[in-house]
Amino acid sequence: MENKLQEIAKKLLTDGEVDLVIGYGADTDRFIEPVFITKPDEAKKLLWNKKCFNNLAVYLTKDVVKHANKVGIIAKGCDIKAIVGLIQESQIDRDKVVILGISCDGVGEPLLKKCNGCDVNTPKLYDHLIGDPIESTLREDKYAEVEDFERRSGEDKKAFWDKELAKCIKCYACRAACPLCYCAKCVVEKNIPQWVPTSPHSAGNFSWNFIRSFHLTGRCVGCGECERVCPVGIPLGLINKKAALEVKSAFEYEAGYDYEVEPPLTCF
Amino acid sequence: MKKTLKEIFDALRTKNYRVVAPVRDGNKIFFTEVSSPDEITLDYVNSEIAAKEWLFPRTEVVMKFDNLATENVEISDDIENQTVETLTAIIGVRPCDVKSLLILDKVFSWDYKDAFYLNRRENTVLVTLGCSKLGDGCFCDKVALDMSSQEGSDVFLAQNGDGSFEMSVVSDKGAEIFPGEKIVPEEQKTTGDAFDKKKIKAWLDGNFEDEIWDKMALKCLSCGACAYVCPTCHCFDVIDEASISEGCRRKNWDSCGFGQFTIHASGHNPRPSQKERFRNRILHKFKYYVDKFDETACVGCGRCRKVCPVNMNLRDIVGAIEKK
């Protein structure tokens, strides 16, 4: 698969079809770090393995990438859901992105939590498919975690979030790693006046983490990056999944599958 | 002196120290106040957040105001309350975090004396636990910090095979709690693998504009994770939080990685992109701090390596600069 990946990336760059390919490069022990390829000869740096965790779609809204004429991006099915979201929200043009979709049967050893509920092992949207199509065999219901949590008492839930959110240091890694948190000015940065308390105390931490989830309701594609990068280990995916489940029940809509569908909470 | 954790804990409690120590929470470790030695985990590499938090908390009130809706606004300067800060003992802190406090001491006392930090520092005893091997992410060897360095400690512990500790008393503060002979901290041994700090400094002095900064900036996601877990990062923001009648002024951790860190009231931002911001992080630790205090401001704890979502870390970046 790696060879095919390198071959396609090289050809895209050689033919001038793209100016830049965003992919996975050097092995860091923990994961394969993102790499930006602009020269055909460098395409051989591209890697693909079980340690390619990052959702590289986060880079598509960065200035440097936006200024490129056309970009190639290596993406797993879950990452492509975020690309779908970005197209839907007019953040990127479909014809300015060449998607090198990867057939993926899960990353991480043991598998990342999100991979157990994966239904896009073969991506739904791509320009080039790397690897043979894989039929999705759901290992578990992706909302099982929420349903389990829902069974707890109100008091218990409150105690759980009090403890988890007390850890938040307001580093905003969740926001930075999220491909759909692309606001040029985040609500917590609006400080004339300061709308949302930014201190890492209880009120600030509840405000921040739940406001982020509200802003992502009906948009979060469940790529799990926020939870992966949180340095203190807050289970942020649980908040976002709860919101996604509400949207699913109310509108029979799940984000990230089809960019031609209008998202229920952003069309009115 | 051979001591058990319980003996050390009890001695500190007898002297009215609250005890802060590494506590496991799932697969994470946090310095937490404990009421029993059974809560403590000393079989660990390093905490997620540096021990600095017990001296320089992520948020703290520095001033309060009341009666805002009247003509008699009352301002209470909270510094006096802070001066009676509880006596605190941090057990199991690693030599890198102890070294970081020596670095922070200089920043918080060279010009303006930061009473909040300095009062806590005065009332804190450091019971250091030496390391026996480099852990996941660690690179103290690269900054020439010995993993059994006693510099800055009040009491130093080395793990014995049987679960007990070989305890040495290093400072007067330590001797007040554990009467006995004080040892003189050993001279630092520089390892062969260490960065050539002079060479790095010289390069940084002359290469404010270099393509390396552009390349790095491309990958950086501009979060503050590296700064917030870093034991030597010390930038903070001052904000007011108020209702219609009362409020307070807070000192909160801040990070030079954020776009808002340098933005002016006019809207102008002298560090307009991630290139200038991340460059500042490197320069602050390996140039500006060196210019001012003649040492580097990185202790090799490796937390930046552990938390960065895209693997931007001081070891690799400074390593690349050293090769230039």
XYZ file of all heavy atoms in Angstrom, chain A residues 28-31 33-34 36 54 58-59 62 64 163 166-173 175-177 185 188-191 197-201 228-233, chain B residues 25 28 30 48-49 53 58-59 136 215 218-225 228-229 237 239-241 250 252-253 258-260 304-311 313 316:
645
model
N 7.642 8.420 15.091
C 8.060 9.079 16.336
C 8.052 8.133 17.526
O 8.031 8.561 18.658
C 7.094 10.220 16.678
O 5.848 9.632 17.088
C 6.852 11.154 15.533
N 7.961 6.837 17.328
C 7.727 5.824 18.369
C 6.240 5.754 18.719
O 5.652 4.690 18.756
C 8.476 6.069 19.700
C 9.971 6.217 19.506
O 10.446 5.788 18.435
O 10.634 6.767 20.399
N 5.657 6.926 18.964
C 4.264 6.918 19.405
C 3.297 6.904 18.231
O 2.265 6.269 18.265
C 3.965 8.149 20.270
C 4.688 8.134 21.592
C 4.490 9.447 22.306
N 5.030 10.557 21.520
C 4.386 11.685 21.258
N 3.177 11.874 21.707
N 4.959 12.641 20.552
N 3.611 7.668 17.200
C 2.752 7.723 16.017
C 3.582 8.207 14.842
O 4.753 8.543 14.988
C 1.531 8.632 16.243
C 1.872 10.058 16.627
C 2.110 11.017 15.662
C 1.938 10.435 17.972
C 2.416 12.331 16.018
C 2.236 11.746 18.331
C 2.484 12.694 17.350
N 4.283 11.030 12.305
C 3.945 12.449 12.290
C 3.591 12.950 10.890
O 4.023 12.395 9.884
C 5.071 13.276 12.912
C 6.357 13.270 12.126
C 7.420 14.160 12.783
O 7.839 13.838 13.902
O 7.822 15.148 12.154
N 2.814 14.023 10.849
C 2.413 14.588 9.552
C 3.629 15.068 8.759
O 4.625 15.510 9.341
C 1.552 15.796 9.939
C 1.125 15.558 11.342
C 2.227 14.757 11.976
N 4.720 17.220 4.946
C 4.234 18.034 3.838
C 5.188 17.835 2.662
O 6.364 18.161 2.767
C 4.183 19.510 4.235
C 3.236 19.768 5.371
C 3.622 19.540 6.681
C 1.941 20.197 5.121
C 2.733 19.742 7.736
C 1.049 20.404 6.166
C 1.445 20.173 7.477
N -3.210 10.624 13.134
C -3.667 12.000 12.945
C -4.720 12.154 11.854
O -4.626 11.503 10.808
C -2.479 12.907 12.577
C -1.514 13.053 13.719
O -1.026 12.064 14.259
N -1.239 14.281 14.114
N -7.265 18.497 9.347
C -7.139 19.720 10.147
C -6.302 20.774 9.415
O -6.494 21.969 9.585
C -6.540 19.390 11.546
C -5.076 18.975 11.456
C -6.693 20.572 12.504
N -5.370 20.300 8.587
C -4.479 21.241 7.894
C -5.146 21.942 6.705
O -4.640 22.938 6.213
C -3.222 20.510 7.398
C -2.283 20.123 8.527
C -2.070 18.794 8.861
C -1.609 21.099 9.260
C -1.219 18.438 9.900
C -0.757 20.751 10.296
C -0.562 19.423 10.611
O 0.285 19.090 11.641
N -5.785 25.599 7.191
C -4.669 26.472 7.603
C -4.281 27.371 6.419
O -4.345 26.933 5.260
C -3.433 25.630 8.001
C -3.699 24.657 9.130
C -3.564 25.317 10.486
C -3.805 24.308 11.579
N -4.532 24.857 12.727
N -1.461 28.394 5.131
C -0.423 27.932 4.199
C -1.000 26.956 3.180
O -0.657 26.971 1.996
C 0.711 27.223 4.982
C 1.915 27.014 4.104
C 1.069 27.989 6.239
N -15.158 15.757 38.048
C -13.813 15.195 38.202
C -13.028 15.318 36.894
O -11.865 15.743 36.891
C -13.909 13.728 38.621
C -12.561 13.037 38.767
C -12.731 11.600 39.241
C -11.406 10.867 39.279
N -10.943 10.421 37.959
N -12.258 19.019 35.852
C -11.333 19.699 36.758
C -9.890 19.550 36.261
O -9.014 20.340 36.607
C -11.462 19.129 38.167
N -9.664 18.560 35.426
C -8.307 18.333 34.910
C -7.934 19.330 33.808
O -6.756 19.504 33.498
C -8.206 16.923 34.303
C -8.367 15.792 35.274
C -8.099 14.502 34.492
C -8.956 13.363 34.934
N -8.983 12.290 33.934
N -8.939 19.942 33.175
C -8.691 20.771 31.985
C -7.756 21.936 32.326
O -7.952 22.644 33.303
C -10.014 21.298 31.431
S -9.836 22.347 29.976
N -6.732 22.114 31.506
C -5.767 23.200 31.724
C -5.937 24.322 30.695
O -5.163 25.260 30.667
C -4.308 22.668 31.695
C -4.080 21.757 30.479
C -3.969 21.967 32.994
C -2.654 21.271 30.305
N -6.920 24.178 29.830
C -7.202 25.193 28.807
C -6.046 25.356 27.814
O -5.709 26.479 27.426
C -7.518 26.547 29.454
C -8.878 26.628 30.115
C -9.972 26.719 29.057
C -11.357 26.639 29.662
N -11.724 27.837 30.371
N -5.478 24.245 27.411
C -4.398 24.325 26.427
C -4.971 24.393 25.017
O -4.256 24.670 24.055
C -3.459 23.135 26.558
S -4.193 21.566 26.064
N -6.263 24.068 24.904
C -6.969 24.112 23.621
C -6.371 23.177 22.563
O -6.483 23.440 21.357
C -7.050 25.547 23.076
C -7.795 26.496 24.011
C -7.142 27.541 24.635
C -9.148 26.306 24.278
C -7.820 28.392 25.506
C -9.826 27.148 25.148
C -9.165 28.198 25.753
O -9.828 29.045 26.616
N -5.760 22.096 23.016
C -5.273 21.092 22.053
C -6.461 20.439 21.351
O -6.390 20.100 20.170
C -4.418 20.037 22.756
N -9.231 21.841 20.464
C -9.643 22.762 19.405
C -8.642 22.729 18.246
O -9.013 22.696 17.077
C -9.718 24.172 19.989
C -10.071 25.248 19.013
C -10.086 26.612 19.687
N -8.748 27.111 19.978
C -8.502 28.216 20.692
N -9.496 28.889 21.232
N -7.270 28.617 20.912
N -7.370 22.719 18.590
C -6.329 22.784 17.561
C -6.308 21.531 16.690
O -6.023 21.606 15.499
C -4.969 22.994 18.211
N -6.607 20.382 17.287
C -6.519 19.130 16.526
C -7.796 18.830 15.769
O -7.837 17.935 14.935
C -6.188 17.977 17.470
N -11.622 33.179 14.649
C -11.603 33.693 16.010
C -12.584 32.865 16.824
O -13.790 32.946 16.625
C -11.982 35.186 16.020
C -11.633 35.839 17.323
C -11.639 37.347 17.199
C -11.001 37.959 18.427
N -10.958 39.405 18.353
N -13.991 31.794 22.620
C -13.276 32.141 23.860
C -12.255 33.257 23.634
O -11.744 33.840 24.584
C -12.553 30.932 24.504
C -13.543 29.954 25.093
C -11.621 30.262 23.535
N -11.969 33.520 22.360
C -11.012 34.593 22.061
C -11.713 35.942 21.888
O -11.059 36.963 21.709
C -10.234 34.253 20.787
C -9.290 33.082 20.997
C -8.604 32.614 19.733
O -9.123 32.897 18.624
O -7.567 31.958 19.847
N -13.041 35.927 21.913
C -13.782 37.187 21.786
C -13.800 37.837 23.159
O -14.559 37.445 24.036
C -15.182 36.910 21.248
C -15.082 36.411 19.824
C -16.409 36.220 19.160
C -16.152 35.774 17.720
N -17.305 35.224 17.077
N -12.920 38.815 23.319
C -12.695 39.331 24.673
C -13.048 40.811 24.849
O -12.611 41.433 25.803
C -11.253 39.050 25.105
C -10.238 39.610 24.134
O -10.592 40.268 23.168
N -8.979 39.335 24.391
N -15.951 32.643 30.125
C -14.802 32.684 31.048
C -13.683 31.750 30.572
O -13.931 30.604 30.215
C -15.384 32.225 32.391
C -16.680 31.567 32.078
C -17.164 32.131 30.783
N -12.477 32.280 30.537
C -11.371 31.473 30.007
C -10.507 30.845 31.091
O -9.616 30.066 30.794
C -10.463 32.349 29.117
O -10.138 33.525 29.850
C -11.136 32.715 27.820
N -10.743 31.202 32.343
C -9.914 30.620 33.410
C -10.170 29.122 33.524
O -11.295 28.671 33.341
C -10.263 31.264 34.754
O -10.086 32.648 34.680
N -9.128 28.380 33.843
C -9.335 26.933 34.021
C -9.901 26.603 35.404
O -9.319 25.834 36.144
C -7.932 26.346 33.799
C -7.005 27.443 34.132
C -7.712 28.749 33.919
N -11.014 27.217 35.746
C -11.724 26.824 36.965
C -13.010 26.135 36.530
O -13.291 26.022 35.329
C -11.962 28.022 37.888
C -12.582 29.228 37.237
N -13.495 29.154 36.199
C -12.411 30.551 37.468
C -13.864 30.367 35.826
N -13.203 31.241 36.581
N -7.782 12.039 21.700
C -6.413 11.519 21.558
C -5.373 12.535 22.027
O -4.393 12.177 22.663
C -6.117 11.140 20.094
C -4.703 10.595 19.878
C -4.424 10.271 18.412
N -4.207 11.447 17.579
C -3.045 12.087 17.436
N -1.969 11.659 18.067
N -2.945 13.144 16.645
N -5.598 13.801 21.705
C -4.550 14.784 22.003
C -4.675 15.417 23.384
O -3.766 16.108 23.826
C -4.481 15.913 20.946
C -4.280 15.330 19.553
C -5.721 16.791 20.976
N -5.782 15.208 24.072
C -5.956 15.864 25.379
C -4.846 15.402 26.329
O -4.755 14.231 26.653
C -7.323 15.546 25.973
S -7.530 16.300 27.605
N -3.998 16.329 26.783
C -2.849 15.906 27.597
C -3.238 15.372 28.972
O -2.442 14.709 29.613
C -2.004 17.181 27.745
C -2.774 18.293 27.195
C -4.005 17.777 26.532
N -4.455 15.670 29.408
C -4.858 15.202 30.730
C -5.894 14.087 30.668
O -6.384 13.618 31.693
C -5.362 16.364 31.613
C -4.232 17.337 31.912
C -6.538 17.085 30.968
N -6.238 13.665 29.458
C -7.080 12.484 29.297
C -8.561 12.667 29.585
O -9.206 11.770 30.119
N -4.341 8.205 37.957
C -5.741 8.344 37.580
C -5.846 7.722 36.195
O -5.469 8.328 35.202
C -6.123 9.833 37.562
C -7.557 10.067 37.081
O -8.301 9.077 36.952
O -7.923 11.222 36.836
N -2.948 8.045 33.694
C -2.275 9.340 33.852
C -1.815 9.515 35.297
O -2.371 8.900 36.204
C -3.248 10.487 33.518
C -3.900 10.374 32.155
C -3.070 11.011 31.082
C -3.747 10.926 29.730
N -2.881 11.252 28.631
N -0.986 12.493 38.213
C -1.093 13.908 38.574
C -0.569 14.131 39.985
O -0.820 13.309 40.868
C -2.556 14.374 38.527
C -3.174 14.296 37.161
C -3.994 13.224 36.814
C -2.926 15.276 36.211
C -4.557 13.132 35.544
C -3.489 15.203 34.943
C -4.298 14.129 34.607
N 1.789 14.134 34.318
C 1.330 14.753 33.074
C 1.636 16.246 33.108
O 2.091 16.826 32.135
C -0.182 14.550 32.867
C -0.678 13.113 33.043
C 0.123 12.085 32.294
O 0.516 12.338 31.146
O 0.373 11.004 32.870
N 1.318 16.871 34.260
C 1.554 18.301 34.402
C 2.694 18.468 35.401
O 2.769 17.747 36.400
C 0.270 19.009 34.885
C -0.826 18.805 33.828
C 0.497 20.488 35.131
C -2.180 19.227 34.258
N 2.947 23.447 39.132
C 1.582 23.907 39.361
C 1.290 24.183 40.833
O 0.417 24.976 41.164
C 0.557 22.905 38.821
C -0.792 23.567 38.815
C -1.955 22.748 38.323
O -1.789 21.542 38.052
O -3.037 23.317 38.206
N -2.424 26.969 37.668
C -2.981 27.277 36.347
C -3.880 28.516 36.410
O -4.005 29.233 35.443
C -3.722 26.068 35.776
C -4.900 25.625 36.616
C -5.540 24.355 36.076
N -4.847 23.149 36.529
C -5.305 21.923 36.371
N -6.447 21.716 35.753
N -4.639 20.889 36.808
N -4.515 28.727 37.552
C -5.303 29.956 37.740
C -5.258 30.340 39.204
O -5.251 29.462 40.072
C -6.771 29.780 37.271
O -7.474 31.016 37.478
C -7.495 28.674 37.991
N 9.798 7.187 28.890
C 9.191 7.515 27.613
C 9.205 9.040 27.404
O 8.580 9.768 28.152
C 7.749 6.982 27.618
C 7.012 7.304 26.334
O 7.685 7.447 25.298
O 5.781 7.419 26.381
N 9.352 25.923 8.057
C 9.054 24.491 7.939
C 8.339 23.980 9.179
O 7.390 23.217 9.101
C 10.351 23.699 7.740
C 10.797 23.650 6.305
C 11.925 22.648 6.165
C 12.567 22.755 4.790
N 13.900 22.171 4.785
N 4.621 25.027 9.645
C 3.657 24.334 8.799
C 2.933 23.240 9.579
O 1.754 23.013 9.409
C 4.436 23.728 7.630
C 3.759 23.571 6.296
C 3.189 24.883 5.811
C 4.739 23.006 5.275
N 3.674 22.552 10.419
C 3.117 21.395 11.119
C 2.397 21.778 12.410
O 1.447 21.124 12.820
C 4.287 20.434 11.427
C 3.862 19.024 11.654
C 5.036 18.066 11.654
C 6.000 18.345 12.781
N 7.063 17.330 12.908
N 2.866 22.843 13.066
C 2.337 23.221 14.383
C 0.845 23.548 14.306
O 0.410 24.306 13.449
C 3.098 24.422 14.926
S 2.535 24.962 16.542
N 0.066 22.962 15.198
C -1.381 23.192 15.192
C -1.786 24.396 16.039
O -2.956 24.716 16.142
C -2.113 21.943 15.698
C -2.020 20.686 14.836
C -2.688 19.511 15.546
C -2.656 20.896 13.475
N -0.826 25.006 16.690
C -1.023 26.194 17.528
C -1.905 25.995 18.749
O -2.709 26.848 19.079
C -1.467 27.415 16.708
O -2.609 27.163 15.966
N -1.724 24.881 19.421
C -2.359 24.719 20.725
C -1.331 25.112 21.789
O -0.203 25.462 21.474
C -2.854 23.292 20.950
S -1.598 22.025 21.193
N -1.721 25.039 23.035
C -0.792 25.417 24.096
C -0.349 24.223 24.923
O 0.183 24.396 26.020
N -0.544 23.016 24.395
C -0.252 21.827 25.202
C 1.202 21.790 25.682
O 1.473 21.548 26.860
C -0.599 20.559 24.427
N 1.790 24.356 28.461
C 1.063 24.140 29.710
C 1.590 22.949 30.510
O 1.415 22.913 31.722
C -0.438 23.986 29.436
C -1.122 25.313 29.136
C -0.389 26.437 28.790
C -2.498 25.444 29.217
C -1.000 27.648 28.527
C -3.119 26.666 28.954
C -2.367 27.755 28.603
O -2.981 28.953 28.343
N 2.184 22.000 29.839
C 2.751 20.869 30.593
C 4.222 21.108 30.919
O 4.814 20.369 31.704
C 2.591 19.520 29.847
C 1.111 19.192 29.649
C 3.341 19.509 28.526
N -1.488 35.239 31.787
C -2.386 36.292 31.329
C -3.081 36.827 32.579
O -3.249 36.092 33.539
C -3.412 35.637 30.387
C -4.317 36.640 29.710
O -3.952 37.818 29.637
O -5.406 36.234 29.256
N -6.576 38.500 33.813
C -7.924 38.825 33.353
C -8.827 39.175 34.532
O -8.588 38.727 35.646
C -8.560 37.678 32.551
C -8.657 36.416 33.416
C -7.816 37.356 31.288
C -9.934 35.689 33.152
N -9.840 39.965 34.253
C -10.827 40.298 35.275
C -12.096 39.495 35.016
O -12.517 39.360 33.867
C -11.167 41.788 35.220
C -10.014 42.648 35.728
O -9.049 42.070 36.277
O -10.069 43.880 35.560
N -12.667 38.973 36.084
C -13.944 38.268 35.971
C -14.880 38.932 36.951
O -14.578 39.005 38.143
C -13.776 36.789 36.326
C -13.101 36.000 35.224
C -12.921 34.515 35.536
O -13.240 34.082 36.660
O -12.447 33.802 34.642
N -7.619 37.592 37.936
C -6.943 36.292 37.962
C -5.682 36.284 37.124
O -5.568 37.005 36.139
C -7.877 35.199 37.414
C -8.957 34.810 38.363
C -9.825 33.691 37.795
N -10.721 33.216 38.835
C -10.401 32.249 39.694
N -9.249 31.611 39.601
N -11.244 31.901 40.632
N -3.718 33.656 34.955
C -3.920 32.346 34.322
C -2.746 31.980 33.423
O -2.190 32.857 32.763
C -5.159 32.379 33.429
C -6.456 32.535 34.209
O -6.508 32.272 35.405
N -7.500 32.977 33.537
N -2.420 30.716 33.358
C -1.376 30.279 32.428
C -1.699 30.775 31.016
O -2.861 30.815 30.612
C -1.315 28.749 32.381
C -0.698 28.105 33.565
C -0.097 28.715 34.625
C -0.643 26.689 33.827
N 0.333 27.766 35.524
C 0.024 26.530 35.065
C -1.067 25.549 33.137
C 0.260 25.264 35.633
C -0.838 24.299 33.699
C -0.175 24.161 34.929
N -0.261 30.718 21.167
C -1.582 31.228 20.810
C -1.482 32.539 20.038
O -0.667 33.405 20.389
C -2.427 31.492 22.066
C -2.792 30.255 22.851
C -2.797 30.286 24.240
C -3.148 29.079 22.221
C -3.142 29.158 24.984
C -3.496 27.948 22.952
C -3.494 27.988 24.340
N -2.369 32.725 19.064
C -2.380 33.953 18.273
C -2.658 35.184 19.124
O -2.144 36.266 18.856
N -3.472 35.013 20.153
C -3.842 36.173 20.971
C -2.757 36.601 21.959
O -2.896 37.637 22.596
C -5.121 35.870 21.747
C -6.344 36.329 20.996
C -7.577 36.357 21.872
O -7.677 35.646 22.860
N -8.539 37.157 21.491
N 6.858 17.812 26.412
C 6.456 18.325 25.098
C 6.455 17.211 24.060
O 5.630 17.176 23.154
C 7.339 19.505 24.665
S 9.111 19.196 24.704
N 7.385 16.269 24.230
C 7.425 15.118 23.304
C 6.213 14.230 23.495
O 5.719 13.623 22.568
C 8.666 14.262 23.575
C 9.904 14.708 22.873
C 10.992 13.669 23.080
N 10.925 12.616 22.088
C 11.526 11.443 22.215
N 12.222 11.156 23.290
N 11.446 10.542 21.268
N 5.780 14.127 24.748
C 4.663 13.236 25.043
C 3.325 13.798 24.585
O 2.457 13.053 24.167
C 4.587 12.978 26.554
C 5.124 11.614 26.949
C 5.066 11.422 28.446
C 3.729 10.865 28.900
N 3.689 10.685 30.360
N 3.153 15.111 24.709
C 1.809 15.641 24.452
C 1.578 16.211 23.066
O 0.435 16.342 22.652
C 1.383 16.731 25.475
C 1.458 16.191 26.888
C 2.206 18.002 25.329
N 2.619 16.584 22.358
C 2.363 17.281 21.100
C 1.585 16.385 20.124
O 2.017 15.286 19.813
C 3.649 17.758 20.436
S 3.268 18.588 18.876
N 0.457 16.873 19.631
C -0.357 16.072 18.707
C 0.366 15.759 17.404
O -0.006 14.825 16.700
C -1.562 16.963 18.414
C -1.614 17.988 19.484
C -0.193 18.183 19.941
N 1.401 16.564 17.051
C 2.080 16.366 15.775
C 3.594 16.198 15.942
O 4.359 16.351 14.985
C 1.766 17.518 14.787
C 0.284 17.538 14.452
C 2.186 18.864 15.345
N 4.009 15.922 17.161
C 5.421 15.676 17.472
C 6.364 16.843 17.207
O 7.446 16.680 16.635
C 5.931 14.422 16.730
C 7.242 13.924 17.314
O 7.425 13.951 18.540
N 8.163 13.496 16.475
N 8.737 18.923 19.216
C 9.260 18.874 20.574
C 10.654 19.444 20.611
O 11.362 19.479 19.604
C 9.244 17.444 21.118
C 10.184 16.546 20.362
O 11.389 16.582 20.582
N 9.659 15.764 19.445
N 13.883 17.211 19.388
C 14.127 17.051 17.951
C 14.467 18.383 17.281
O 15.332 18.446 16.403
C 12.903 16.432 17.260
C 12.659 15.005 17.753
O 13.534 14.467 18.476
O 11.607 14.439 17.427
